Amino acid sequence: MTTYFVTGASTVLGRNLISLLLRRGDCETVYALARPRAFDRLRRAAPDEARFVPLAGDLGEPGLGGEMPANVDHVVHLSTTGVANALAFARTAGAKAFHQLSPSTKDEALLRGQDDVPVRFYRPSAMLGDSRTGEPAGEGDLLALVSRLSRIPSGLPLAAPDLGLADVVPADHVAAVLDHLIHHDAPSGTSYPILAAEPLPVHEVYNAFAEAAGAPKVVVTAPRALAAGGAAALRLADRLRLLRATRKAVLSEIGLSWETLARWRRDAAIDDTATREALAGSGLSAPPLRDYAHTIYRYWAANVDPDRVRRSRRRKSLAGRRILITGASTGIGRHTALRVAREGAHVLLVARRADELAALQAEIARHGGTALSYPCDLTDGDAVDALVKEVLGEHDGVDVLVNNAGRSIRRSVIDATDRLHDYERTMAVNYFAAVRLTLGLLPSMRERRDGHIVNVTTQGLQNHTPRFSAYLASKAALDEFGVVSGRELLSHGITFSSVKLPLVSTDMTAPSERFDAFGALPLMTVERAASLVHKAIVTRKETVSVLLPFGAHAELAALVAPRTTRALGHLIGHESMPGRAGDRAGLPAVAAAVTRMVWRRW
C-alpha cells in the first residue's frame, strides 16, 4: 500500500492529482498540506473519502508548521516555495521519492546536491485550467485581455506581430501525466517536460479564447523582421521616461505586458523524449486548445472575471447583487429593501432594532426574496467594525452600500446655543457612522474593482432650509465626502450617488407634521423616496433628485439673484413655518419680518 503527501493541494492541479491518486487500488492515504481556509474546497474534491487527510501547515515554517505524518512513500511538491522545508520533511518521513514541479535554478541545485531522497522534476509548459470543468489555473491575464477586447466588434480584423510559438496544456492533463510518471521507475534526477502535442503560434492561443468571448481575431501577423523593427522603435521611445511610464501604465490596465507574452512564448525547442518514452502506451495526450477554450472562458467569465459584476450592472439587473441598507427597519430603508429584494437582490438589513429587522426579513422571505439581518448601533465604532468583519466574512463583499440611516433635528440655531449635542448627535449618525462603514467596505470593493455607495442626503443642501442647521451640516459633510471619494475612485469601478430628497413623510418628520410645521409644503411619500434610492442603485448617477419642491431651482436662483433668494429663504423657510407648537407663523410672522428687514435695510 502507498501513501502520498501533496503540497499545493488546493490548486486546480493539486485537486485533480489527488482525485487520481485516490482511484489507485494500492492507495492507502493521501495527505494534503493546505491552509485551513482551503479545507472545504479540498474536501469537495474527495467527498466522504476516509483515505484523504487534509493537514493544516505552512511551507515557510520548519517542520511545515504542524503535526505531520511519520511515514510517507511519495512527497509531491506542487509549490515553488518552501522546497528546503518540504525536502527536510521527506527525509524525516523516509520518503521513497521527492517529486518537484517547475523548480527554480536554485531549488534544482539544492535537490540535485543531496542523495538522501531520490528526486524527479516535472516541467509543464504554460498550464491552463481544467479542460472538463473550465476552472482556470493561471490564464487570468490573457482572459481579461480577451474580455476587454470583446467590447470591440468581433468582425474587426486585428494585426499583430509574430510572437513565436506557445505551448499550452490543461491542468487535468498535467495531473494525469504526473499520476502516471510518479509511479514510473526512473533514476533520481530525471526531468520530465510536459508539453502539448504540437505548439501553437501565440496569436492562435489568443484567437481560441477570442472565439469563445466574441472578440475580434488576429488575422494578419507581421513578419519577424518587421516586428523586430517595431520593437526597436518602441525601445527608442522608451528612452523618454514619460512615454515609457505611460506605455506601461496603459498596457497594464488592459492586461498586456512583456511578462505576459514571455509566459506564453516558447523560444527554443524542448527535448521531451524522456516524457514521451515514459508515457508510451498510456493513451495520455493533451487535447487541442480549441476543444476546451470555450469551457475555460465561460467558467472564468461567470465566476472569476473581476468585471463580471460590472457586466451584470450594464444589464440593469439587481439579481444576486449584495445590497447593504442601513436604517432598514422603517421608512425609506424598509421600502427600498422590499423593492430591491423583489428584483432578486440579496439584501443585508442593518438597523438598531433587531425585532423590526427580523419582521422585515420574514416579510421578504414570504415574498420569495433573500435577506439577512444585522442589528447594529451605527454610532458605536466598535460595533460598526464588527459589522464590517462579519459581513465580509460571510459574503466576501458588498456590491452596493446604501447609507440611509439618519437623524434629523428641526430647531432654530438661536434655540440651540446651549445644545451643542444636537450637532454632535447628527454628525455621529449622519456622517461619522456612514463614513466609517464606507471606509470599512471600500478595500474589498477596490479589490473586486466594483462597488457603489448611495448616500441618502437631502434637497435642503440645495435650498438651505432654515431650522435644520444641525441636520444639513451633517448631510453636507456626507454629500461632499461622497463627491470627492467618487472623483478619486471612478476609474477603479467604485461610484458614489447622492440622493437629494425633499421632506419625506416618515417617523422622523412626524413630530413637526403634528403642528403643521411645514404649512402647505407637500411632503414626499416613502414609496416615492424609495424609488429614487432604487434609481440611484441602478443608474449609479452622481446625483439623483427631483425638480420640486425647489431643489435645482433654488440653486439657480441663488446664482442669479442671491440677495432675493436669501430673503425669500428667511421669510418662507423660517418665518412662515413655526418652530414649535404655538409659535407665530404665516402672514403675521412674515409681515413682522419684512418690517424688520425694511427698517434695517437688510
Side-chain angles (χ1 to χ4, degrees):
M1 300 299 284
T2 308
T3 56
Y4 306 88
F5 184 91
V6 181
T7 70
S10 62
T11 62
V12 180
L13 174 62
R15 283 178 278 126
N16 270 286
L17 178 60
I18 288 168
S19 296
L20 293 171
L21 294 175
L22 289 169
R23 292 178 193 171
R24 290 186 164 269
D26 63 346
C27 174
E28 180 179 346
T29 308
V30 177
Y31 298 100
L33 186 73
R35 302 280 187 180
R37 63 175 177 269
F39 279 15
D40 287 342
R41 196 181 346 159
L42 279 172
R43 289 193 178 99
R44 285 197 295 272
D48 304 320
E49 177 55 77
R51 295 175 300 159
F52 175 61
V53 182
L55 298 172
D58 186 344
L59 288 169
E61 296 291 330
L64 303 183
E67 186 175 346
M68 298 296 133
N71 300 100
V72 295
D73 296 310
H74 294 274
V75 174
V76 185
H77 192 47
L78 300 181
S79 175
T80 55
T81 62
V83 174
N85 289 333
L87 177 62
F89 163 73
R91 287 195 190 100
T92 302
K96 298 176 182 177
F98 185 91
H99 307 272
Q100 176 63 52
L101 186 77
S102 303
S104 67
T105 303
K106 178 181 177 182
D107 288 332
E108 183 170 357
L110 169 69
L111 293 169
R112 289 187 182 277
Q114 57 84 42
D115 54 11
D116 298 327
V117 184
V119 297
R120 297 180 202 165
F121 304 100
Y122 307 88
R123 306 178 191 276
S125 53
M127 188 163 55
L128 301 177
D130 192 312
S131 65
R132 300 160 304 174
T133 67
E135 184 178 357
E139 58 272 37
D141 48 1
L142 174 61
L143 297 181
L145 171 64
V146 172
S147 175
R148 287 159 188 164
L149 290 178
S150 68
R151 298 170 194 175
I152 302 172
S154 59
L156 180 69
L158 296 183
D162 183 353
L163 298 171
L165 297 176
D167 201 301
V168 295
V169 287
D172 51 302
H173 170 70
V174 175
V177 171
L178 286 175
D179 174 52
H180 182 86
L181 296 179
I182 285 170
H183 302 93
H184 180 76
D185 288 335
S188 180
T190 301
S191 182
Y192 292 110
I194 304 175
L195 309 178
E198 293 291 339
L200 290 173
V202 170
H203 72 272
E204 287 299 335
V205 175
Y206 162 81
N207 282 347
F209 288 110
E211 182 178 347
K217 296 181 182 178
V218 174
V219 297
V220 177
T221 56
R224 288 257 179 134
L226 185 59
L234 186 60
R235 285 193 295 271
L236 183 63
D238 273 357
R239 292 182 180 180
L240 296 175
R241 183 180 302 175
L242 180 60
L243 290 180
R244 182 173 67 251
T246 302
R247 175 185 62 80
K248 288 183 176 180
V250 172
L251 292 180
S252 174
E253 286 298 324
I254 65 174
L256 186 61
S257 65
W258 292 119
E259 291 77 13
T260 301
L261 295 175
R263 190 159 62 252
W264 299 103
R265 288 175 58 183
R266 191 180 85 178
D267 291 324
I270 300 173
D271 183 4
D272 65 339
T273 303
T275 308
R276 285 186 282 108
E277 290 179 350
L279 293 180
S282 67
L284 295 175
S285 65
L289 176 59
R290 63 178 178 274
D291 290 353
Y292 62 91
H294 283 75
T295 304
I296 288 179
Y297 184 80
R298 282 196 299 269
Y299 184 102
W300 178 86
N303 301 282
V304 181
D305 181 9
D307 294 330
R308 65 190 183 280
V309 174
R310 220 172 304 170
R311 288 200 307 270
S312 68
R313 170 172 35 101
R314 287 198 294 270
R315 296 193 297 268
K316 308 297 184 186
S317 172
L318 298 183
R321 306 284 295 280
R322 296 156 296 187
I323 302 179
L324 190 153
I325 303 173
T326 67
S329 58
T330 61
I332 300 168
R334 184 177 188 278
H335 282 78
T336 301
L338 289 168
R339 176 156 183 177
V340 298
R342 286 197 300 271
E343 297 183 24
H346 297 312
V347 192
L348 312 180
L349 309 169
V350 176
R352 284 179 302 161
R353 296 183 284 272
D355 55 340
E356 294 182 0
L357 285 182
L360 176 58
Q361 180 180 342
E363 182 177 350
I364 289 174
R366 281 197 305 272
H367 290 89
T370 303
L372 290 172
S373 300
Y374 295 90
C376 180
D377 179 0
L378 294 173
T379 62
D380 182 340
D382 292 338
V384 173
D385 293 342
L387 170 67
V388 169
K389 185 176 181 180
E390 183 178 6
V391 166
L392 293 181
E394 294 180 0
H395 306 283
D396 292 330
V398 170
D399 299 306
V400 181
L401 166 64
V402 180
N403 285 315
N404 168 72
R407 180 189 185 98
S408 178
I409 296 175
R410 184 177 184 269
R411 181 173 287 114
S412 176
V413 68
I414 199 66
D415 294 330
T417 54
D418 59 348
R419 297 179 62 88
L420 180 63
H421 57 272
D422 284 356
Y423 297 85
E424 293 171 336
R425 289 171 181 171
T426 53
M427 287 295 290
V429 177
N430 300 345
Y431 179 65
F432 287 115
V435 169
R436 191 179 194 108
L437 184 54
T438 302
L439 295 178
L441 296 176
L442 276 180
S444 66
M445 291 182 174
R446 171 67 185 271
E447 183 179 349
R448 294 182 297 113
R449 297 194 293 184
D450 190 82
H452 185 50
I453 293 89
V454 177
N455 292 323
V456 178
T457 61
T458 169
Q459 204 175 74
L461 300 178
Q462 298 169 298
N463 55 40
H464 313 293
T465 314
R467 288 199 172 90
F468 285 98
S469 61
Y471 176 69
L472 293 184
S474 62
K475 287 295 186 180
L478 179 61
D479 184 69
E480 193 63 18
F481 167 77
V483 171
V484 173
S485 300
R487 303 290 171 88
E488 293 179 6
L489 298 169
L490 183 62
S491 68
H492 299 287
I494 302 173
T495 50
F496 285 71
S497 292
S498 178
V499 183
K500 291 182 166 65
L501 297 175
L503 288 166
V504 181
S505 183
T506 63
D507 293 344
M508 204 158 60
T509 60
S512 297
E513 287 183 70
R514 280 196 286 271
F515 62 88
D516 197 26
F518 308 118
L521 191 66
L523 272 65
M524 181 177 281
T525 64
V526 289
E527 292 83 2
R528 172 62 175 145
S531 73
L532 293 177
V533 176
H534 173 270
K535 180 180 180 181
I537 293 172
V538 172
T539 67
R540 298 170 73 131
K541 289 184 177 180
E542 189 172 51
T543 300
V544 174
S545 187
V546 290
L547 291 177
L548 294 173
F550 313 115
H553 299 89
E555 288 184 305
L556 179 60
L559 291 173
V560 175
R563 288 180 52 132
T564 302
T565 302
R566 180 175 63 174
L568 290 175
H570 170 69
L571 295 173
I572 298 172
H574 185 265
E575 295 298 335
S576 70
M577 299 180 186
R580 61 178 70 87
D583 281 1
R584 182 170 63 182
L587 184 59
V590 171
V594 169
T595 302
R596 289 195 300 273
M597 293 166 68
V598 170
W599 182 256
R600 293 174 176 81
R601 294 187 179 180
W602 54 291

